[in-house]
Amino acid sequence: MQIPKFAATPHTFHADLKKRINAYFDQKGKSMTGNFNLYLKAAVLGLSFVGLYIHLIFFTPVTTLAIGECVLLGCVISAIGFNVMHDGAHGSFSKRKWVNMMAAFSLNVLGGNSFIWNSKHNIIHHSYTNVAGVDDDIDIQPWMRMSTSQKRLKLHKYQHFYFWALYALLYILWIFLLDYNKYFTSKVGEVPLKKMKLADHFNFWFFKLLNGFLFVALPILATGFMSWLVGFLIVTTVAGLVISIVFQLAHTVEHTAFPVANIETNKMENEWAVHQVMTTANFATNNRLVSWLVGGLNFQIEHHLFPKISHVHYPALSKIIRQACADHGIVYIEYRRVHQAIASHVHFLKQMGRAS
Ligand SMILES: [Zn+2]
């Protein structure tokens, strides 16, 4: 397939934004990467993960407590993904390259693959957000229809009910099916993966085996098959739901756009930065607990415009970006509360299931 190009119009909005954001960092004298609070959060999350894992596997508590710990472990895994892995993969976690690499590598221990994530998320999703046929995040076909350019099937009429079940399965599917599919086809959707070096192949297999040992073999040996199965399903269901919901609220809600390239020129209508604002929404940015847990992924407009800047700066940047959008006449989409964003996602799914 032909990857579309962005309009070659003068990048006035992007240039103005960069000027304003650089002026902010010059004035404050701050680094654009993470700070002590972020590293403290990473340590709390890392230790929580290890503590919960060891307690569940080697000192298995009574059933009710074990279920609670499994739910918590699912949340901690998601939070490591949002706060450590995601920032590391974008190179915004630290000034030091090796620290970013280590942060990004946490995904491999948790069952994913950092090489494939880099192609899927950093390159494809961040460049061609909500462009059907390119952005893999909106390709849940044939099970769900996430854009009017995707084929509608009868079952999509009910997608605003059954999406919960699919989102709950996301983590298991990601680890055991989707990564292998991308690895063996060397593609993310229709877009070819960058060529993997020998070390990338080694990492893929080594960490998939390590993950299988840590999350399947060892827990079965230590706690028995049924205990592992119940615990594993709780952890992966919680992680799948949390990750899916946080990522979907950013782009697939009622007010975000799904631009398509011009059929003749294969060019997108707007410059890249305008495209990012039109296709992205923020949610619950005043909620400090949500902001802490999701690593700034509720400030998705800021993240999509400046993915290489750490999320710890997004609350301050959002004021500047909001003003710039108002000055350029670009709509800045934000849902004040989490439940409003979820309701909008459900309405969006209902529309996609019914619209022709
Ligand atoms: Zn990102």
Side-chain angles (χ1 to χ4, degrees):
M1 73 159 301
Q2 282 266 307
I3 305 284
K5 297 238 179 325
F6 282 96
T9 49
H11 293 188
T12 48
F13 177 58
H14 199 195
D16 184 29
L17 270 179
K18 282 198 283 193
K19 214 165 90 188
R20 295 187 196 205
I21 298 301
N22 286 336
Y24 165 81
F25 281 104
D26 285 345
Q27 191 202 348
K28 296 280 175 191
K30 285 181 178 174
S31 146
M32 291 187 183
T33 46
N35 57 14
F36 175 76
N37 286 347
L38 177 59
Y39 306 139
L40 184 66
K41 176 160 56 168
V44 168
L45 291 172
L47 289 172
S48 305
F49 173 79
V50 174
L52 284 166
Y53 178 87
I54 290 176
H55 197 237
L56 277 164
I57 307 286
F58 300 109
F59 305 93
T60 313
V62 290
T63 310
T64 44
L65 186 59
I67 290 173
E69 287 189 10
C70 286
V71 171
L72 199 57
L73 186 57
C75 294
V76 168
I77 287 174
S78 314
I80 291 174
F82 299 147
N83 290 279
V84 183
M85 179 284 277
H86 181 236
D87 277 33
H90 279 298
S92 71
F93 187 76
S94 163
K95 268 182 249 170
R96 291 176 181 83
K97 208 175 164 190
W98 69 269
V99 179
N100 285 323
M101 261 182 70
M102 294 279 289
F105 250 62
S106 61
L107 177 64
N108 297 337
V109 180
L110 297 176
N113 178 263
S114 51
F115 181 92
I116 292 174
W117 172 262
N118 186 49
S119 278
K120 172 187 159 64
H121 183 78
N122 292 23
I123 300 170
I124 300 169
H125 171 66
H126 269 276
S127 304
Y128 302 101
T129 315
N130 278 8
V131 179
V134 189
D135 185 357
D136 191 57
D137 281 18
I138 57 164
D139 187 2
I140 318 178
Q141 298 180 90
W143 312 108
M144 290 179 74
R145 182 178 189 242
M146 306 298 273
S147 150
T148 47
S149 358
Q150 291 174 348
K151 196 172 174 226
R152 188 165 65 97
L153 303 175
K154 270 190 184 153
L155 80 156
H156 297 146
K157 218 165 130 182
Y158 308 101
Q159 64 177 7
H160 58 294
F161 295 117
Y162 65 72
F163 76 99
W164 293 106
L166 286 179
Y167 290 3
L169 285 172
L170 169 97
Y171 193 59
I172 288 191
L173 293 174
W174 180 354
I175 293 170
F176 295 116
L177 184 74
L178 301 175
D179 268 356
Y180 289 102
N181 187 282
K182 292 178 175 76
Y183 180 82
F184 285 114
T185 59
S186 286
K187 276 181 175 180
V188 176
E190 293 299 312
V191 185
L193 267 179
K194 217 171 75 183
K195 197 169 163 36
M196 288 176 101
K197 294 185 189 128
L198 194 62
D200 301 318
H201 286 288
F202 175 79
N203 284 338
F204 183 90
W205 289 108
F206 176 79
F207 282 101
K208 284 286 178 197
L209 284 172
L210 179 71
N211 180 262
F213 175 73
L214 288 176
F215 289 89
V216 182
L218 189 59
I220 291 176
L221 285 173
T223 68
F225 181 79
M226 275 318 286
S227 302
W228 163 76
L229 184 65
V230 173
F232 185 73
L233 288 177
I234 295 172
V235 173
T236 52
T237 297
V238 171
L241 276 174
V242 174
I243 295 168
S244 305
I245 291 292
V246 168
F247 275 96
Q248 294 295 359
L249 296 189
H251 306 291
T252 52
V253 283
E254 288 164 297
H255 302 96
T256 47
F258 290 78
V260 286
N262 181 299
I263 298 174
E264 281 165 23
T265 62
N266 201 30
K267 278 192 177 153
M268 304 304 297
E269 193 188 337
N270 293 293
E271 63 165 289
W272 174 84
V274 174
H275 177 99
Q276 294 305 320
V277 179
M278 285 171 59
T279 54
T280 308
N282 284 2
F283 64 91
T285 52
N286 288 324
N287 188 323
R288 295 182 79 150
L289 179 67
V290 169
S291 301
W292 191 86
L293 285 171
V294 305
L297 287 175
N298 53 337
F299 286 90
Q300 282 273 3
I301 297 176
E302 288 65 33
H303 175 58
H304 267 259
L305 289 169
F306 295 99
K308 289 189 186 314
I309 297 180
S310 168
H311 70 260
V312 298
H313 304 293
Y314 291 166
L317 300 195
S318 77
K319 295 187 184 91
I320 302 167
I321 292 170
R322 204 184 287 259
Q323 186 58 52
C325 286
D327 295 345
H328 286 262
I330 299 162
V331 179
Y332 182 100
I333 309 163
E334 169 150 351
Y335 295 90
R336 286 186 62 76
R337 294 176 194 282
V338 176
H339 72 86
Q340 288 167 341
I342 292 178
S344 185
H345 179 57
V346 174
H347 280 140
F348 164 82
L349 292 178
K350 198 171 169 183
Q351 281 169 7
M352 285 299 123
R354 304 219 164 137
S356 59

